[in-house]
Amino acid sequence: MSRRKQVYEGKAKVLYEGPEPGTLVQYFKDDATAFNNQKKGTITGKGVINNRISEHIMTLLGDIGVPTHFVRRLNMREQLVKEVEIIPVEVVVRNIAAGSLSTRLGIAEGTILPRSLVEFFYKADELGDPMVTEEHITCFGWATPPEMDDIIAMSLRVNDFLSGLFLGVGIRLVDFKLEFGRLYQNEDMRIILADEISPDNCRLWDIRTNDKLDKDRFRRDLGGVADAYREVARRLGILPEGGPRDMKGPEVMQ
Ligand code: TMP
Ligand code: ASP
């Protein structure tokens, strides 16, 4: 049992009250779900790897001036983040056709898109996260037009940066999903990047073999899920010193 107050439990993460006002502790679970919770499983060590990968990527994004909720990693499975008001929209950026884009429009997986495509999905499990347009988002007040301008500009910047980062380690960034939140500070409010960036919410293909190094291995029962996540961490140069045996992480929270 944790001594801290839990404020939210999602499919892959738990949020607890942080040590100071305006902060939260983000705990990464090994649980995995797909197809809106219809498929459930556990990927041993996933939480530890995603905590490290997300820390690495959010830190690099911070370094190039993309504001993020990440403050610091606390331990193997937890990081301190800024508390934000989550905008209920998943932003998907695509460079290569795959997944729901291929199914929806009949475009073969692997087709290189003529330009990066930004799509929006309304975060509502009971509706199966339906695809929406900017019109829906501003009409229903989920985000304002200026907030959407910020969100799209940041998403494309993240795409450019991550495409280069992954290309440098032999990985094609096929697509990924981002979430944003409103950070309130004094009288000010600004939009920052929230959630996580990891193989749970990116499609990553090996540049030579096209091997999938992401959650599609779980979604499509391809096996070797944890090994693929570890391979991403290894290529990014962040595999813990002790190697794979170190990746399991504590079972019990302090
Ligand atoms: P999709 O092709 O299934 O729409 O997924 C696009 C990208 O978004 C892919 O990298 C996986 C990621 N994603 C999530 O992170 N969460 C989700 O719930 C879904 C459906 C996709
Ligand atoms: N995480 C999502 C779910 O369980 C879907 C996915 O990532 O494919 O519903």
Side-chain angles (χ1 to χ4, degrees):
M1 279 286 285
S2 168
R3 281 181 269 115
R4 288 171 307 207
K5 187 166 167 229
Q6 183 175 311
V7 292
Y8 175 81
E9 176 154 17
K11 295 173 195 137
K13 294 188 292 295
V14 186
L15 292 174
Y16 297 95
E17 265 180 2
E20 308 131 41
T23 64
L24 295 172
V25 173
Q26 181 166 258
Y27 175 92
F28 288 74
K29 300 192 274 188
D30 283 349
D31 296 348
T33 66
F35 315 119
N36 199 21
N37 232 350
Q38 289 178 54
K39 182 182 169 95
K40 291 189 172 80
T42 304
I43 303 165
T44 305
K46 173 175 81 88
V48 177
I49 306 172
N50 283 356
N51 188 22
R52 288 291 282 117
I53 293 177
S54 202
E55 170 195 18
H56 183 68
I57 290 177
M58 292 283 186
T59 303
L60 292 174
L61 287 172
D63 288 347
I64 64 156
V66 175
T68 85
H69 74 157
F70 180 80
V71 180
R72 66 175 178 277
R73 187 164 61 86
L74 297 171
N75 56 48
M76 299 267 273
R77 285 183 184 272
E78 294 177 330
Q79 50 183 246
L80 188 68
V81 299
K82 293 174 189 156
E83 184 172 22
V84 295
E85 179 182 276
I86 287 285
I87 291 169
V89 172
E90 300 195 343
V91 181
V92 170
V93 184
R94 302 181 187 268
N95 301 304
I96 297 173
S100 72
L101 176 74
S102 293
T103 317
R104 199 182 329 120
L105 301 179
I107 298 169
E109 275 212 337
T111 307
I112 295 174
L113 300 175
R115 63 177 178 83
S116 302
L117 206 53
V118 183
E119 294 177 342
F120 307 107
F121 297 85
Y122 178 43
K123 266 171 73 75
D125 281 345
E126 65 285 8
L127 302 174
D129 293 351
M131 190 177 179
V132 292
T133 67
E134 217 177 317
E135 284 285 293
H136 297 97
I137 296 169
T138 54
C139 177
F140 297 115
W142 301 326
T144 64
E147 285 174 339
M148 287 311 291
D149 291 346
D150 270 11
I151 286 172
I152 294 167
M154 270 194 260
S155 300
L156 292 172
R157 191 137 183 254
V158 171
N159 184 44
D160 284 346
F161 179 76
L162 290 190
S163 293
L165 178 76
F166 282 117
L167 202 58
V169 296
I171 293 174
R172 228 186 282 280
L173 179 62
V174 173
D175 57 35
F176 59 94
K177 184 262 293 182
L178 299 176
E179 292 187 28
F180 293 87
R182 296 185 188 94
L183 177 69
Y184 293 92
Q185 273 175 329
N186 309 318
E187 302 296 287
D188 277 354
M189 187 279 289
R190 63 185 181 133
I191 302 284
I192 67 172
L193 185 60
D195 193 47
E196 68 175 292
I197 302 182
S198 74
D200 262 14
N201 45 36
C202 300
R203 282 197 175 90
L204 304 168
W205 293 357
D206 180 88
I207 208 134
R208 270 189 319 108
T209 63
N210 278 335
D211 276 355
K212 297 182 197 315
L213 301 172
D214 57 66
K215 195 174 158 190
D216 269 351
R217 301 205 73 85
F218 169 77
R219 294 190 190 98
R220 302 178 187 191
D221 294 320
L222 299 175
V225 191
D227 283 343
Y229 281 48
R230 270 193 288 272
E231 178 61 13
V232 173
R234 191 191 65 74
R235 291 200 198 178
L236 291 172
I238 52 174
L239 203 64
E241 307 249 317
R245 283 197 310 131
D246 251 16
M247 289 303 226
K248 200 151 175 285
E251 294 297 330
V252 183
M253 279 174 285
Q254 314 92 338

